[in-house]
Amino acid sequence: MSQHGRKYSDEYQRSLADREGFWLDAARSVDWSVEPARAYSDADAPISRWFPDGELNTAYNALDRHVAAGRGGQPALIHDSAMLGRTTTYTYAQLTERVARFAGVLRAQGVGKGDRVVIYLPMIPEAAVAMLATARLGAVHSVVFGGFAANELAARIKDAAPKVVVTTSGGLEPNRRVEYLPTVHEALATAGVPHLPVIVKHRDGFATDPGTLAWTFVDWDGALAGAEPAAPVPVKATDPLYILYTSGTTGTPKGVVRDNGGHAVALLWSMANLYDIHAGDVWWTASDVGWVVGHSYIVYGPLLAGATTVMYEGKPVGTPDAGAFWRVIADHGVKALFTAPTALRAIRKMDPEAGLLAKYDVGHLQTLFTAGERLDTDTFHWASRVLGIPVVDHWWQTETGWGIVGNPRGLEPLPIKAGSPTLPMPGYELQIVDGMGVPVPAGEEGNIVLRLPLPPGTLTTLWGDDQRFVDSYLNAFAGCYATGDSGYVDEDGYVFVMGRTDDVINVAGHRLSTGAIEQVLGKHPAVAECAVIGVADSLKGQRAVGYVVLKSGVTIDADVLQAELVALVRKEIGPVADFKNSTVVEALPKTRSGKILRKTMRQIADGEAYTVPSTIEDPSVIDYLLPVLRPR
Ligand code: COA
Ligand code: AMP
């Protein structure tokens, strides 16, 4: 039982038995311009509407209300750049003022309620400012991760049809400078909107010169200096706050839509109850604003809660060493850190006994949270041992926006079991079902599904495509949302998430579509067909490997082909795909209907027991591929 006398099991049961009461209570943590009288409406089912009669402004809740409550002098955002060796702090008053003025800049570009703003920025404070300024106007942002190439940016611009793009002249990677402007220019041309206004934050050391290119170029600093602050615009709780594109099984990314009201309520619930973070606490999420983790827990969650959020521009290793995380925790007095297991594995690889910890005082750190990929038990035990604090895995997805399964540290810390993210969070009615949708007994692996409706804060639809939303998530199992993950529940109800059931892979906590990489490989003139699978990688969890069949009569050196394919994926998808390996094969295993047996290939490559479906067209292909795929 928690220090406040509340029990997880009571709260969880109430969230399902008394949905209205539970979430209306939770909604009291938000400042509404119109208080909701109802929590949930199924009038548009299967699309969920949370707080259908409520109105609010999310940026007001994240900023102004804390200033009004007397916390204007408290740090809101600490930007720690390991790349530049510089830290900049914005108080709530300063961040509110800056966001209000940048909202004025956006308004001057014609952005109003419901309009879209595409944000393509690295981990600099302007990313948070641009997101919050968009929200302040009741507009809808779509942030694109900086590691995506022009084509991916173009696809998102095309789909979201923004009024303006916000970017910078440059990003900093450890061994590379990332020139943003040529990428943006190419993306606008590809998307067929070459004259779309582009607001550019100049970064020292990068050219911010529109040059002779024919585009509408707005200088961030100049525009901000002359801007009139804009007041927060109330929107309906059900209006969209943002679109975030994520990988599906096809090459076309899915535009996950998040609403305003449900999002604010769910994030506030999670900050207090899941993470035990409250106003005045210092919280650090080491991710990127381009991912959902960055949206929810670098920007919105901690600011809605009135906490101080640390935004880190750097890596766990190499900037300058494997003590970087401990340095940030010590410098800013971080109470809880949220990162991906990959980052911990990278630190461990460089500093196996975490010797660098001794250089820093990390005494403020109470909890380490991980998500983005499964926290393998080895890394769990290592991190628990070297830090001596609870290491807490939790499981969620871009679609849900906050934890599906977690350990509610602020409500009632539950015993931690290695390998499990613990128990379902309120509102998530989780079941493990077989292929026919029939629940399986405890201990048996199956598809993880969530009974509808999903709780507040989860996706409401896919941008401009309700049908794809239904087809992608709701059709497979009647009355349920299909998570795309498989796993099991043990006799204590603990959930174990084992991996994806579709062609989505997870590389260094980054979600990628093997289908998208296959589409790119297929463009190479020598390639007749190909399969991309995610094979186990000791550092990054998985890595993408391509198996290609050459067109008949084509001869090409395998190394030359690999180099060309690597360059092609980097150009078309971006460095984030981290595609480095391809192998030429004579044939791929397929079913009689032509479906490539990627799962069987992956099982063989990972040295697991493999299953060959009876529908295989030519079983001899498996015999041929065994020595090619098997780990050496
Ligand atoms: N802009 C441009 N390029 C980027 C980028 C960005 N924002 N982020 C990554 N890249 C590039 C990297 O420079 C690298 O390019 P390279 O092939 O030229 O070296 C490539 O994308 C792959 O990056 P990454 O997967 O980060 O690998 P890495 O070898 O540079 O670093 C780790 C390895 C483990 C240190 C790193 O992956 C990491 O910190 N992971 C944590 C993951 C995380 O926070 N995930 C978010 C979900 S919670
Ligand atoms: P993303 O949408 O990028 O957050 O990726 C979501 C996917 O990452 C999930 O569907 C899982 O496959 C995987 N994932 C995220 N967190 C975890 C976790 N804690 N344990 C296991 N898998 C996870």
Side-chain angles (χ1 to χ4, degrees):
M1 185 158 330
S2 77
Q3 53 199 351
H4 317 292
R6 291 186 301 143
K7 280 186 69 181
Y8 157 79
S9 55
D10 294 344
E11 296 287 308
Y12 179 68
Q13 290 309 331
R14 182 175 173 228
S15 75
L16 301 183
D18 175 19
R19 189 189 299 140
E20 285 287 310
F22 182 90
W23 290 114
L24 282 175
D25 279 353
R28 296 212 177 93
S29 57
V30 168
D31 275 14
W32 302 89
S33 41
V34 177
E35 290 266 346
R38 292 158 62 207
Y40 175 72
S41 159
D42 61 2
D44 298 329
I47 292 179
S48 299
R49 301 284 181 217
W50 284 97
F51 311 106
D53 51 357
E55 288 185 17
L56 75 162
N57 181 277
T58 297
Y60 172 85
N61 273 275
L63 296 169
D64 310 56
R65 70 160 168 165
H66 303 308
V67 178
R71 284 206 304 282
Q74 180 200 309
L77 185 142
I78 299 173
H79 180 249
D80 183 312
S81 174
M83 309 304 297
L84 297 172
R86 194 187 298 156
T87 291
T88 316
T89 300
Y90 299 82
T91 63
Y92 268 99
Q94 289 166 335
L95 193 60
T96 305
E97 190 265 346
R98 185 149 304 209
V99 165
R101 277 202 293 129
F102 192 66
V105 172
L106 292 175
R107 193 177 49 190
Q109 292 299 323
V111 176
K113 199 191 252 192
D115 291 332
R116 272 80 59 210
V117 173
V118 164
I119 299 171
Y120 184 57
L121 284 170
M123 286 288 282
I124 57 177
E126 285 73 13
V129 170
M131 290 164 76
L132 290 158
T134 305
R136 193 172 186 86
L137 295 175
V140 181
H141 58 70
S142 176
V143 181
V144 181
F145 178 61
F148 280 121
N151 267 341
E152 293 288 325
L153 177 59
R156 287 154 175 77
I157 291 174
K158 243 179 151 160
D159 198 60
K163 275 261 167 77
V164 55
V165 173
V166 183
T167 191
T168 178
S169 48
L172 301 165
E173 283 294 293
N175 304 315
R176 205 156 48 85
R177 290 154 47 83
V178 186
E179 298 284 350
Y180 274 64
L181 294 185
T183 305
V184 174
H185 188 259
E186 186 184 335
L188 294 183
T190 307
V193 286
H195 302 294
L196 199 67
V198 181
I199 303 175
V200 183
K201 171 66 192 169
H202 171 72
R203 268 199 118 180
D204 289 345
F206 291 88
T208 309
D209 180 4
T212 53
L213 302 173
W215 60 353
T216 315
F217 205 84
V218 181
D219 172 55
W220 172 296
D221 292 314
L224 197 67
E228 280 294 317
V233 176
V235 294
K236 287 193 192 132
T238 53
D239 281 343
L241 169 68
Y242 70 76
I243 309 166
L244 180 57
Y245 290 86
T246 189
S247 302
T249 46
T250 68
T252 316
K254 299 179 193 171
V256 165
V257 178
R258 194 88 58 216
D259 65 7
N260 275 274
H263 175 253
V265 172
L267 290 194
L268 276 162
W269 189 92
S270 71
M271 289 309 297
N273 295 283
L274 186 46
Y275 302 113
D276 196 18
I277 292 292
H278 309 273
D281 287 340
V282 182
W283 162 260
W284 175 27
T285 299
S287 176
D288 189 288
V289 284
W291 307 117
V292 69
V293 173
H295 280 59
S296 293
Y297 295 116
I298 295 174
V299 180
Y300 287 110
L303 296 178
L304 284 165
T308 299
T309 185
V310 178
M311 184 181 202
Y312 174 66
E313 185 184 31
K315 302 273 173 178
V317 293
T319 57
D321 58 26
F325 273 25
W326 320 138
R327 198 265 305 154
V328 174
I329 291 165
D331 279 1
H332 309 301
V334 171
K335 178 181 169 188
L337 164 65
F338 176 177
T339 192
T342 302
L344 302 176
R345 290 195 296 268
I347 294 170
R348 183 184 183 187
K349 195 172 163 195
M350 299 303 291
D351 185 15
E353 284 306 310
L356 291 168
L357 250 176
K359 280 176 65 180
Y360 305 97
D361 175 4
V362 296
H364 282 94
L365 191 70
Q366 292 183 7
T367 320
L368 169 60
F369 293 95
T370 72
E373 55 177 314
R374 182 163 191 260
L375 176 59
D376 59 283
T377 52
D378 219 24
T379 306
F380 165 76
H381 288 302
W382 177 81
S384 306
R385 179 170 59 79
V386 300
L387 287 168
I389 56 171
V391 176
V392 181
D393 185 13
H394 60 315
W395 167 63
W396 52 297
Q397 320 180 305
T398 303
E399 287 85 345
T400 64
W402 65 288
I404 307 167
V405 170
N407 192 325
R409 308 300 299 177
L411 172 60
E412 179 193 5
L414 299 168
I416 295 171
K417 284 195 194 186
S420 168
T422 313
L423 292 168
M425 289 297 94
Y428 289 105
E429 197 177 348
L430 182 147
Q431 285 184 336
I432 311 288
V433 299
D434 65 16
M436 302 304 290
V438 179
V440 301
E444 204 171 292
E445 190 170 335
N447 303 289
I448 312 181
V449 301
L450 306 170
R451 293 211 72 79
L452 297 175
L454 295 176
T458 53
L459 84 170
T460 52
T461 187
L462 295 178
W463 181 252
D465 203 344
D466 290 347
Q467 192 54 48
R468 188 173 179 206
F469 166 64
V470 172
D471 293 345
S472 305
Y473 302 106
L474 309 184
N475 275 348
F477 303 103
C480 295
Y481 164 90
T483 64
D485 279 303
S486 76
Y488 65 93
V489 172
D490 74 5
E491 62 288 353
D492 299 323
Y494 275 57
V495 180
F496 289 75
V497 181
M498 305 312 291
R500 298 285 306 190
T501 56
D502 54 16
D503 296 325
V504 167
I505 61 170
N506 198 311
V507 180
H510 305 145
R511 177 165 157 182
L512 298 169
S513 156
T514 54
I517 302 175
E518 286 175 5
Q519 264 181 25
V520 175
L521 301 189
K523 289 184 183 174
H524 190 284
V527 173
E529 61 176 347
C530 63
V532 172
I533 57 172
V535 302
D537 183 274
S538 62
L539 174 63
K540 298 194 173 184
Q542 285 186 305
R543 87 193 129 84
V545 179
Y547 295 89
V548 298
V549 178
L550 298 182
K551 286 182 182 155
S552 71
V554 170
T555 49
I556 181 167
D557 179 81
D559 289 341
V560 171
L561 178 64
Q562 176 170 280
E564 289 177 5
L565 293 175
V566 166
L568 200 58
V569 173
R570 207 176 164 90
K571 181 175 176 301
E572 298 269 325
I573 296 179
V576 64
D578 209 19
F579 180 79
K580 301 262 165 36
N581 304 100
S582 70
T583 302
V584 176
V585 293
E586 281 174 19
L588 293 168
K590 288 183 192 162
T591 62
R592 283 190 285 276
S593 61
K595 190 173 178 296
I596 296 172
L597 297 171
R598 294 182 187 79
K599 184 174 173 194
T600 310
M601 291 176 71
R602 186 198 57 74
Q603 287 170 328
I604 297 172
D606 285 349
E608 291 175 9
Y610 61 91
T611 44
V612 181
S614 57
T615 50
I616 188 165
E617 186 185 31
D618 178 2
S620 72
V621 176
I622 292 289
D623 300 330
Y624 153 74
L625 278 177
L626 276 176
V628 181
L629 290 166
R630 267 208 181 121
R632 281 156 288 273

